[in-house]
Each structure stands twice: as C-alpha cells, then as structure tokens.
Amino acid sequence: MIRSSSSPSRRSAVGLGVGVAAVAAVFYTLLAIGRWRAGNSANYDLGIFAQGADAWSRGQWPESHIRGLSLLGDHFSPLLASWGALWHFWPTPPTLLITQAVLLAAALGVIVAYTRRVAGLRVALLVAVVGLLSRAVLTTAMFDVHEVAYAAIALAVLCIALLQHRFGWAVAASVWLLLTKEDMGLTVFAAGACWWWMHRGDGWRRPLVLAGLGVAGVIVAMLVLGAFAPGSGTGYLAYFGIGSSNKLPVPEDHSLSPQRLLPVLMYVVTALGIGVRSKLTVLAIPTLLWRAASSNIHYWALDFHYDLVLWPIGLLAFVDVCRKGLPRLRSRSGVVVSIATVASLVLGVAELQQRAVTPASTFRTAPVVRDIRALAGERLPKGAKVATQMDVGPYLVPRYDVYSLRPDQRPRVDYVMFTDKERWTYQVPVCARERLVAAGAQVWRRGIVTLVKLPSAQVVTPTC
C-alpha cells in the first residue's frame, strides 16, 4: 500500500504502525472484556451476533432468536461468516469482542503507518493518540460488537488507495465494504466520485467502475434482504418513510432537530478541523446524509457505533491536508487543530467515564455475571428455551436457546430470566417482573438475578 523511496523509511513506518496496532488491540480488548465481565453486555447486539456466529459455525444461515429473524434479512453482512469460523474453535461471545478489537486496532495501525510515511513522525504520533482515544472508536469497542468493525480497515485501505492512486486496492477495499453492510454501497459510489475528482486525468472508466460497484452492491443487498426478511424488505427503510416498520423499539423524531447535525460535528472533530478540506470528505457525505435524514434518533447520537465509518475517513483526511507537516501552533490552522484535538480527547475520556469501564475491569467478574451463570448451571437444562432481559442473554449463549424478553417479540419459552438492575436499557418493568414471578411454577433467585420456570411452554409478554 505504501510507496517508499527507501527500505529503512518503509520499515520505520510499518514498525510504528504495528506497534500502535498492538497497543490498540490490547487496549480495546481490555475495555471490551472489562465491559463483558462487568455484566454490561447485552442481547443487542452481542447476543444477536453470537447466535449468528454459532449458526455460521454449523454451516447454517445466520439466524438469531433474540432478533427474531435471519440476520441476512436484518443487515447484509456476509463477511460475518468469518465470525462463524472463529466460533468453531472458541464458541463464546468474547471471541467476537476480541476479534472486533483486533480489527479496530489493525485499522489504526494501517492509518498510522501511512501517516508516518507521507507526513512524518509528529503527525503520525498525533494521529495515533487521537485515533486511539477517539469517541467514534471507543463507542464501538465498548458497546458489544457490530459488523462495521470490518468496515474500518477497509475504509482505511480505500482512503489510502484513493490518495496513492492505487485502483486495484480501491476495488478490493470496495468489495470488502459491500460485503460488510448494505449502506456501504453508497460510500463506494462516493469513492467513484472521489476518484474522478482526484484523478481526472484517468478519464471516466475507473470512477464509473467504482460507482457501478456501489450501485450493484446496494441492489444485491436489497435483493438478499428482501429474500430473507419477513415482508420482503428491510424494515430499516421505515426510518426514511419507505416500507413498514422493523419493530425495533427505537424512539423516532420527525422534526428538524439540530441534533441531526451531531454526526457532522463528530466528523469535523475527528478530522481535526482542517481535514474537512480534503477531497476524502466526499466519502463521509453519504453516511452523514442518511443519518441526518433518518427519524431514528440513535442514528444522530454519538453513543453508538455509527461514527466508526467516519473515523478512518476523518483521520486520513487530516493526514491528506498535513502532508507537509503540522501547521504552526500560532497559525489559524494550528489553532483549529489544537482545539479539535482537545475536543476529541475530551469526548473520548467522557465516553470512558460514561461507560464506567477501565482496563482493570477485565480482571474482576461482577457478582451479577457469576449469579447468571450459577443459576443457569444449576437450574437450566442444556438447550432450554429461555427469554431473557437485555442484560442476560449473551451470558447464556450458546449453551441455551436464548430469546428476547420484550413485548414486540412474544417468544414461546419454558423459562424467563431477568435482573433487578436499577438502570438498564429496555428494562422489564417491575410490575411485569412481578407478574412473571407470580405465574411461575418455580422461582429461583440469586443476588439480583431471577430465574422463573413457567408451568408449560408458553408465549411471554413482559407487560403490566
């Protein structure tokens, strides 16, 4: 990927990239496993993807009882079959957490190695620190797993291919992106426009190939989603006024809220302000547009994984502008970079504090996790069908057939398990928990964890 005029320069760039990637892999793994052992992993999305990996490992299409459908009807992410291969050797959710940490670290390593080669050591070290502690990547590393972890490294390669005029690498990265998620086709289409803008002397063939790949990728993804999804289409289009709802309990807002611009601000911060001048910013436009146009308020927020695809683009856009080195501190550009750097680090540290996760968490198992495992081991027969509250499911996969204890799912199960955590996303109401306990044939409690055996297999709805 990296052109060099001398072997020592290449070796120093690669060496720095590998070193940063190694540090990042350890750091992100400690954060992810710390959150797992603290009992903060969830059905959405670790439990879902764990069930998908389990299915892939058995040579089946990825299906999740927690999600209530085939995962190929939820998102077009055939690249996740690789999780199935890893699951075959180590069938436990931390496998996915560690894999994601390595993917994120590898993306940062590629970015830093390229930066060292074209912009020097000072810029590379700045990018390494800002990239490592960016809120965009920390939210992904600490909030279970997501398919877009695969997109980060592909986007890094795509950006470098565009900057280095490497069409073969651009095509390879684009195909990788198309196999990651359905919306990546829009980014690949933008890569065609970006190639034309950067390399007009090439003519139209290469940009049209990239744009055509993007369009074909979207069409194929929609056809596959339609074949696997109930109702012949992805429900996520409902957030854009197209089709019917996918029944996810996500708050919607159809007003022109200024919060829609938060992803734009996040991109500006990630690009350290001056990076927005780079032509690579074209790659960020499709993601920024569809997030702003959606009625799903989670797409606007900075607390989820949606900013990850902007992360490599923003960092490399900054590098593109700083090829001749960092701007002088007292210059206008220097002031902008300084302010954006501080803002980026503050946002990252705030995310660590909000998630209440530190690397030290990796070495302590929370009582709630021990209680979930103990109750299941003592009372649940292997393969039992159990509906779980959001914070329980991943700790029971793959030994048990786990479903989601939510009103919109209505699973038919033999057991129900939930916790009494004071604060948790999609917590089962107290009155609903009391009803489930009252209706149970047997009830076992351990700490804040409750397991209920139902009189017979039945549909459960956690409503009052």
Side-chain angles (χ1 to χ4, degrees), residues 80-110:
L80 297 189
S82 60
W83 274 349
L86 295 170
W87 189 272
H88 180 77
F89 297 100
W90 191 17
T92 178
T95 299
L96 310 188
L97 296 173
I98 295 171
T99 303
Q100 175 173 264
V102 171
L103 287 168
L104 298 176
L108 182 59
V110 168

Side-chain angles (χ1 to χ4, degrees), residues 98-167:
I98 295 171
T99 303
Q100 175 173 264
V102 171
L103 287 168
L104 298 176
L108 182 59
V110 168
I111 293 169
V112 170
Y114 172 77
T115 305
R116 172 68 179 90
R117 181 68 187 91
V118 302
L121 182 59
R122 291 176 62 204
V123 180
L125 292 176
L126 176 62
V127 168
V129 173
V130 171
L132 179 71
L133 297 175
S134 171
R135 186 183 182 104
V137 70
L138 290 177
T139 52
T140 306
M142 294 191 294
F143 189 56
D144 290 345
V145 297
H146 304 91
E147 61 281 288
V148 291
Y150 281 88
I153 190 168
L155 281 165
V157 172
L158 177 59
C159 288
I160 294 172
L162 288 167
L163 293 171
Q164 295 281 284
H165 200 188
R166 298 294 187 91
F167 185 68

Side-chain angles (χ1 to χ4, degrees), residues 16 151-152 203 205 238 244 266 283 286 292 337 355 373 399 403 427 429:
L16 181 62
R205 186 179 66 84
S244 58
M266 189 66 201
L283 297 182
V337 170
R355 300 285 184 191
R373 291 170 174 167
R399 185 175 176 83
Y403 294 77
Q427 181 85 321

Side-chain angles (χ1 to χ4, degrees), residues 147-384:
E147 61 281 288
V148 291
Y150 281 88
I153 190 168
L155 281 165
V157 172
L158 177 59
C159 288
I160 294 172
L162 288 167
L163 293 171
Q164 295 281 284
H165 200 188
R166 298 294 187 91
F167 185 68
W169 280 104
V171 170
S174 296
V175 172
W176 180 289
L177 285 172
L178 295 176
L179 297 175
T180 301
K181 200 176 179 185
E182 62 276 6
D183 64 286
M184 288 291 98
L186 303 176
T187 301
V188 173
F189 181 87
C194 195
W195 186 280
W196 174 82
W197 193 10
M198 288 181 165
H199 313 292
R200 295 187 188 183
D202 283 357
W204 286 96
R205 186 179 66 84
R206 288 181 173 181
L208 284 177
V209 167
L210 290 174
L213 276 174
V215 172
V218 171
I219 292 173
V220 170
M222 290 299 108
L223 290 175
V224 172
L225 289 169
F228 282 89
S232 300
T234 174
Y236 293 96
L237 292 177
Y239 297 129
F240 305 92
I242 304 172
S244 58
S245 171
N246 62 0
K247 298 182 179 179
L248 281 177
V250 175
E252 294 190 59
D253 185 346
H254 297 272
S255 69
L256 296 178
S257 170
Q259 290 182 333
R260 293 175 184 268
L261 297 178
L262 285 176
V264 176
L265 294 177
M266 189 66 201
Y267 175 74
V268 173
V269 169
T270 304
L272 297 184
I274 63 174
V276 297
R277 303 202 304 257
S278 170
K279 294 173 183 176
L280 288 179
T281 296
V282 171
L283 297 182
I285 292 175
T287 298
L288 294 173
L289 285 178
W290 72 252
R291 288 177 65 184
S294 169
S295 62
N296 183 338
I297 66 172
H298 288 174
Y299 291 163
W300 318 337
L302 306 181
D303 299 325
F304 300 93
H305 58 283
Y306 302 109
D307 288 308
L308 183 67
V309 297
L310 304 175
W311 175 66
I313 301 172
L315 291 176
L316 285 165
F318 169 72
V319 174
D320 183 34
V321 174
C322 291
R323 284 172 178 264
K324 295 181 180 180
L326 291 172
R328 289 178 300 176
L329 188 59
R330 295 184 179 181
S331 67
R332 181 180 301 177
S333 294
V335 171
V336 171
V337 170
S338 299
I339 293 173
T341 299
V342 172
S344 180
L345 296 177
V346 167
L347 285 170
V349 172
E351 179 67 6
L352 288 170
Q353 292 179 332
Q354 179 180 336
R355 300 285 184 191
V357 177
T358 65
S361 305
T362 306
F363 306 102
R364 298 190 301 267
T365 300
V368 65
V369 175
R370 294 197 298 266
D371 292 341
I372 289 172
R373 291 170 174 167
L375 266 182
E378 295 168 1
R379 304 298 181 181
L380 283 177
K382 185 177 180 179

